[in-house]
């Protein structure tokens, strides 16, 4: 199996096994401030109402955006998490989709939202994935993502994801410069970075020890 296929499959299995625990951990959203910030970044700049969320997990952000009147398609490659999203939010439109193999039409949405997903994309697929995200956006479409970076590591494997023994999950810690270069190469006309943080991130022992930080990016497609 290719290295990138192995990583994607291994990560998907890790999320499948940990789906219930992941959902339990998001019932009280400890990073609500950062999520609000990201949703606002998108909702205040998007020109139309068709939004695709990539890596939606239990669907909390997708549902919040839907309730503002947006037409949201919540996507994830982890079926158990999509089932949870659908059960929690029956009016949410969900579909299974691997972000590294986006199967949506070009020029078919106004906004793409990704909270905590791009840092699972294998580096060898990052440029092509960014290009597909760009291409599904309509002119003047907006992408907003929140990612984790680290000043210590390029990548890290968490061995027991979701507190399940031997359930490895791989994180790719792209730098903002790398992300900017993927976005510019894909053709995004403007790229802005933000460092909205919250106490839960700043104080998390895991984040401190491994010098992990959250950052956000908003990128806009040009008008033609
Ligand atoms: C850290 S969780 C974030 C979930 C949700 N956005 C949230 O904030 O709660 C990462 C999510 O991305 C999904 N994911 C990871 N790699 C993916 C891929 N290649 N395609 C689609 N979803 C992916 C996982 O299944 C998981 O739901």
């Amino acid at each position: 199996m290719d290295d990138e296929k192995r990583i994607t499959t291994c990560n998907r299995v890790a999320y499948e096994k940990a789906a219930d625990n992941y959902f339990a951990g998001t019932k009280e959203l400890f990073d609500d401030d950062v999520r609000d910030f990201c949703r606002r970044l998108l909702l205040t700049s998007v020109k139309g109402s068709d939004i695709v969320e990539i890596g939606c997990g239990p669907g909390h952000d997708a549902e919040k955006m839907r309730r503002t009147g947006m037409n949201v398609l919540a996507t994830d490659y982890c079926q158990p998490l999509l089932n949870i999203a659908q059960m929690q939010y029956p009016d949410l439109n969900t579909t299974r989709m691997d972000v590294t193999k986006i199967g949506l039409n070009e020029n078919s949405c106004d906004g793409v939202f990704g909270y905590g997903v791009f840092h699972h994309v294998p580096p060898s697929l990052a440029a092509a994935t960014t290009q597909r995200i760009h291409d599904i956006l309509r002119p003047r479409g907006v992408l907003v993502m929140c990612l984790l970076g680290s000043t210590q590591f390029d990548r890290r494997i968490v061995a027991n994801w979701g507190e399940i023994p031997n359930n490895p999950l791989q994180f790719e810690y792209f730098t903002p410069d790398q992300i900017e270069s993927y976005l510019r190469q894909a053709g995004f006309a403007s790229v802005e970075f933000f460092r909205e943080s919250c106490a839960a991130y700043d104080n998390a022992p895991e984040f401190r020890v491994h010098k992990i930080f959250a950052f956000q990016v908003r990128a806009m497609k040009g008008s033609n």
Side-chain angles (χ1 to χ4, degrees):
M1 202 188 287
D2 302 344
D3 207 34
E4 55 263 25
K5 257 199 196 152
R6 189 187 49 73
I7 296 169
T8 310
T9 305
C10 182
N11 280 355
R12 179 174 48 72
V13 170
Y15 272 108
E16 285 169 357
K17 286 190 191 163
D20 288 338
N21 291 0
Y22 186 84
F23 172 53
T26 63
K27 277 187 186 157
E28 300 264 325
L29 285 175
F30 58 88
D31 54 356
D32 230 0
D33 293 354
V34 188
R35 288 170 185 282
D36 282 350
F37 177 80
C38 291
R39 289 194 308 274
R40 256 185 291 120
L41 271 185
L42 181 68
L43 295 175
T44 55
S45 53
V46 74
K47 309 287 182 239
S49 57
D50 293 328
I51 308 286
V52 173
E53 179 166 1
I54 49 175
C56 67
H60 304 308
D61 291 307
E63 176 66 6
K64 284 191 172 135
M65 291 188 284
R66 189 191 72 78
R67 288 186 186 180
T68 68
M70 293 287 148
N71 174 31
V72 178
L73 177 62
T75 73
D76 202 291
Y77 68 174
C78 173
Q79 190 60 51
L81 279 170
L82 282 179
N83 295 345
I84 289 170
Q86 203 64 80
M87 222 149 65
Q88 291 300 305
Y89 307 119
D91 294 331
L92 191 60
N93 196 6
T94 65
T95 196
R96 186 159 182 221
M97 188 179 83
D98 181 338
V99 72
T100 66
K101 296 182 195 150
I102 293 178
L104 303 172
N105 290 336
E106 292 190 4
N107 293 308
S108 61
C109 65
D110 304 297
V112 173
F113 184 86
Y115 193 98
V117 59
F118 203 87
H119 51 226
H120 294 311
V121 172
S124 57
L125 300 179
T129 300
T130 312
Q131 186 69 60
R132 284 295 295 146
I133 292 174
H134 172 274
D135 293 349
I136 63 168
L137 283 165
R138 297 188 178 117
R140 302 173 77 206
V142 187
L143 164 69
V144 170
M145 298 196 293
C146 181
L147 298 89
L148 296 179
S150 165
T151 53
Q152 188 177 11
F153 296 115
D154 293 341
R155 79 167 39 130
R156 194 167 73 97
I157 297 177
V158 175
N160 304 325
W161 180 247
E163 293 176 16
I164 295 171
N166 193 22
N167 192 37
L169 180 70
Q170 186 154 320
F171 285 79
E172 307 291 344
Y173 296 125
F174 298 104
T175 65
D177 281 354
Q178 288 171 319
I179 295 292
E180 171 151 18
S181 142
Y182 295 135
L183 292 165
R184 296 275 183 202
Q185 274 172 37
F188 281 95
S190 80
V191 180
E192 301 162 274
F193 287 93
F194 305 88
R195 281 289 284 272
E196 184 76 6
S197 197
C198 65
Y201 287 170
D202 296 341
N203 300 331
E206 180 94 348
F207 278 34
R208 282 174 172 238
V209 170
H210 299 300
K211 302 199 170 26
I212 297 167
F213 59 94
F215 65 98
Q216 301 79 33
V217 60
R218 175 168 62 183
M220 297 206 198
K221 188 166 172 173
S223 51
N224 51 30

